[in-house]
C-alpha cells in the first residue's frame, strides 16, 4: 500500500545550521529512485544536492526556492510503497529513552567516541545534529550553552556584513587557537612526472598508504583526547567560487592509484559546480591541500579540526640541486606537515613526511 515519506534537510556538516533552497531538479508527480538528486541547497560553504533516500514519487515540493530553512525542516513529501505503515519520515519518532539524532551526528559521535545521550541541545531543535556533536567536542565534553556565546557574538559583530564567510570564519578561528608546528621539506617529483600521473593523485595515494604505518597522524582529537582511526577518510581541500571546501574520499587506503585519481577528479569537480552530497563534506580523518601552480614555495595550513595533521603540496618547478657531487636540474616541490603539537611530537610528524617523500622519489621503482 502507499505511504508518505517526509524528506528533511539533513545535517550538512561544518557547523552549518541552515541552507538556502536552490533549484528543484524534479517536479511534483515525477518518479524518484533511491539516491536520485532532488533539490540543490546552498550553504555558507558549498552548494550540495540532496538525494532521495527512497524510491517513489514526488508528491509535494515543500521548500520554496530562495527560502532559508534550518536543518531538520521538511523539504519534500514523497509517496512510497509501504506494507508496514502509512506514514514514514526521515526522522522517525523515538521512544522516550531513545536519543533523537541525525545520521551524520550518529556517525560523527561514533567516530569521536561520544555518547549521544550526554550531548545537550541548546537551540530547541529537538534533534541532535552534527554541529551539536562538534560543539560538544570543542567544549571539551560540556553541553553547548555559554560556550557557544562567544562565537555567536563574533558572527553578530564581526561577520554580519559577510554572511558567506561566517561558518568558515568560526572554524578557522578555532583552528588558529591550536598549538601547531609545521615541518617543511622538499621532494624530487621527477619519477612522478615520468609516470604521467598527476602529482596530487600520487601524493594522495602515498599519503593514504603511509598513514597505516604512521597511525598517530591519522587521528581525531575531540574532547582533549586523540582517537586512532581504523580507515583513512581523505579530505582534499578544494577552492570553489564560494570558498574553500574539503570533500571526503572514504577508505582511501583501499583504492588503487587510478581509482583514487578518478575519485579526486570526481569530488573536486562536483565541489566546484555545487553537486556534492552532504555526506561527502563530513568525516575526514586526514587532509591534503594544494593550490597547484598558485601554491607558492610553502605555507602553514590550518588544521581541519578535529584532525591532528594536514599535509600541503606546493609549486613544483625545475631547480638546481646537487646529486652525487654534481649540480643538476630536477623537478622539485616542497611538502609540509602541520600538526597539533599537543598530540604529536615533531619526530613522529617528520618520520611520516620523510616516508611520503621516499615513496614519491622512488615512484618509478614500484613493481
Amino acid at each position: 500500500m502507499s505511504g508518505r515519506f517526509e524528506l528533511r534537510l539533513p545535517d550538512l556538516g561544518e557547523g552549518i545550521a541552515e541552507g538556502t533552497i536552490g533549484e528543484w531538479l524534479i517536479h511534483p508527480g515525477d518518479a524518484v529512485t533511491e539516491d536520485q538528486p532532488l533539490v540543490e541547497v546552498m550553504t555558507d560553504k558549498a552548494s550540495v544536492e540532496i538525494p532521495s533516500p527512497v524510491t517513489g514519487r514526488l508528491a509535494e515540493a515543500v521548500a520554496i526556492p530562495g527560502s532559508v530553512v534550518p536543518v531538520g525542516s521538511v523539504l519534500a513529501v514523497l509517496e512510497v510503497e509501504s506494507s508496514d505503515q502509512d506514514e514514514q519520515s526521515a526522522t522517525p519518532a523515538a521512544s522516550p529513552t531513545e536519543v533523537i539524532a541525525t545520521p551524520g551526528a550518529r556517525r560523527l559521535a561514533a567516530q569521536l567516541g561520544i555518547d549521544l545521550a550526554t550531548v545537550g541541545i541548546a537551540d530547541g531543535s529537538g534533534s541532535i545534529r552534527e554541529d551539536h556533536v562538534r560543539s560538544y567536542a570543542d567544549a571539551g565534553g560540556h553541553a553547548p550553552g555559554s560556550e557557544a556565546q562567544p562565537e555567536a557574538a563574533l558572527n553578530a559583530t564581526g561577520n554580519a556584513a559577510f554572511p558567506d564567510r561566517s561558518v568558515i570564519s568560526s572554524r578557522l578561528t578555532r583552528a588558529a587557537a591550536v598549538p601547531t608546528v609545521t615541518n617543511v621539506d622538499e621532494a624530487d617529483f621527477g619519477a612522478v612526472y615520468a609516470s604521467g600521473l598527476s602529482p596530487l593523485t600520487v601524493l594522495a595515494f602515498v599519503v593514504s598508504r603511509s598513514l597505516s604505518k604512521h597511525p598517530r597522524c591519522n587521528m581525531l582529537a575531540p574532547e582533549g583526547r586523540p582517537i586512532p582511526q581504523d580507515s583513512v577518510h581523505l579530505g582534499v581541500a578544494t577552492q570553489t567560487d564560494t570558498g574553500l571546501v574539503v570533500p571526503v574520499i572514504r577508505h582511501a587506503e583501499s583504492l588503487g592509484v587510478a581509482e583514487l585519481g578518478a575519485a579526486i577528479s570526481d569530488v573536486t569537480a562536483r565541489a566546484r559546480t555545487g553537486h556534492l552530497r552532504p555526506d561527502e563534506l563530513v568525516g575526514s580523518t586526514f587532509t591534503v591541500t594544494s593550490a597547484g601552480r598558485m601554491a607558492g614555495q610553502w605555507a602553514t595550513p590550518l588544521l581541519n579540526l578535529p584532525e591532528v595533521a594536514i599535509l600541503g603540496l606546493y609549486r613544483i618547478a625545475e631547480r638546481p640541486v646537487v646529486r652525487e657531487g654534481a649540480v643538476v636540474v630536477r623537478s622539485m616541490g616542497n611538502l609540509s606537515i602541520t600538526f597539533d603539537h599537543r598530540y604529536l611530537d615533531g619526530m613522529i610528524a617528520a618520520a611520516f613526511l620523510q616516508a611520503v617523500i621516499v615513496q614519491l622519489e622512488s615512484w618509478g621503482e614500484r613493481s
Side-chain angles (χ1 to χ4, degrees):
M1 77 186 184
S2 178
R4 292 168 66 83
F5 186 100
E6 291 183 343
L7 175 67
R8 298 177 182 269
L9 182 62
D11 188 335
L12 300 172
E14 303 283 342
I16 294 170
E18 61 186 17
T20 301
I21 304 302
E23 179 185 1
W24 279 95
L25 306 177
I26 64 171
H27 302 91
D30 289 350
V32 176
T33 58
E34 185 176 353
D35 291 329
Q36 177 182 343
L38 300 184
V39 62
E40 294 178 346
V41 174
M42 295 167 286
T43 73
D44 288 345
K45 288 217 61 173
S47 294
V48 296
E49 293 180 338
I50 307 299
S52 172
V54 297
T55 296
R57 187 175 302 276
L58 179 62
E60 181 183 3
V62 177
I64 301 172
S67 63
V68 178
V69 299
V71 169
S73 298
V74 176
L75 301 180
V77 177
L78 298 139
E79 292 180 351
V80 296
E81 290 299 318
S82 174
S83 58
D84 298 323
Q85 57 185 21
D86 293 332
E87 297 289 334
Q88 299 186 61
S89 172
T91 54
S95 66
T97 59
E98 182 181 350
V99 175
I100 303 175
T102 65
R106 293 185 184 279
R107 181 171 58 248
L108 180 61
Q111 259 186 343
L112 303 183
I114 293 175
D115 181 0
L116 282 173
T118 65
V119 178
I121 306 174
D123 58 10
S125 62
S127 177
I128 296 174
R129 304 189 304 268
E130 186 180 351
D131 58 301
H132 295 137
V133 178
R134 288 194 184 281
S135 295
Y136 179 85
D138 291 344
H142 301 290
S146 59
E147 294 82 1
Q149 292 172 5
E151 179 178 322
L154 175 63
N155 289 340
T157 60
N159 294 326
F162 307 99
D164 289 342
R165 301 288 295 183
S166 60
V167 171
I168 295 174
S169 176
S170 63
R171 286 182 59 80
L172 293 184
T173 299
R174 292 196 298 271
V178 174
T180 59
V181 174
T182 299
N183 184 345
V184 181
D185 208 338
E186 63 180 4
D188 187 335
F189 281 83
V192 173
Y193 276 137
S195 72
L197 294 170
S198 158
L200 179 59
T201 294
V202 175
L203 177 64
F205 178 84
V206 168
V207 164
S208 299
R209 297 301 177 92
S210 298
L211 284 170
S212 63
K213 297 181 180 179
H214 300 267
R216 293 187 65 178
C217 294
N218 190 48
M219 297 191 297
L220 300 179
E223 302 183 74
R225 59 189 180 94
I227 303 174
Q229 303 298 299
D230 294 332
S231 296
V232 178
H233 301 316
L234 188 68
V236 182
T238 305
Q239 187 65 46
T240 73
D241 290 340
T242 56
L244 190 71
V245 298
V246 186
V248 181
I249 300 170
R250 302 194 183 282
H251 303 288
E253 80 283 2
S254 67
L255 300 178
V257 64
E259 291 177 298
L260 186 55
I264 292 173
S265 297
D266 174 53
V267 296
T268 55
R270 288 191 291 112
R272 295 187 179 102
T273 58
H275 291 84
L276 288 173
R277 300 189 308 273
D279 64 334
E280 292 175 311
L281 286 168
V282 297
S284 59
T285 62
F286 188 93
T287 294
V288 171
T289 180
S290 171
R293 294 175 182 173
M294 302 293 291
Q297 291 296 317
W298 62 280
T300 55
L302 293 174
L303 294 179
N304 184 20
L305 299 177
E307 297 171 16
V308 300
I310 182 171
L311 191 141
L313 169 65
Y314 305 96
R315 183 188 303 133
I316 302 171
E318 291 187 341
R319 301 182 203 162
V321 296
V322 177
R323 293 289 186 267
E324 298 179 354
V327 176
V328 296
V329 176
R330 291 285 188 268
S331 295
M332 305 298 294
N334 287 340
L335 296 168
S336 71
I337 179 76
T338 298
F339 56 96
D340 189 332
H341 210 351
R342 295 174 299 178
Y343 310 116
L344 294 181
D345 288 331
M347 187 64 70
I348 294 173
F352 171 69
L353 183 60
Q354 289 305 310
V356 169
I357 290 173
V358 167
Q359 292 180 72
L360 290 173
E361 295 187 335
S362 61
W363 182 253
E365 301 171 15
R366 297 175 69 247
S367 57

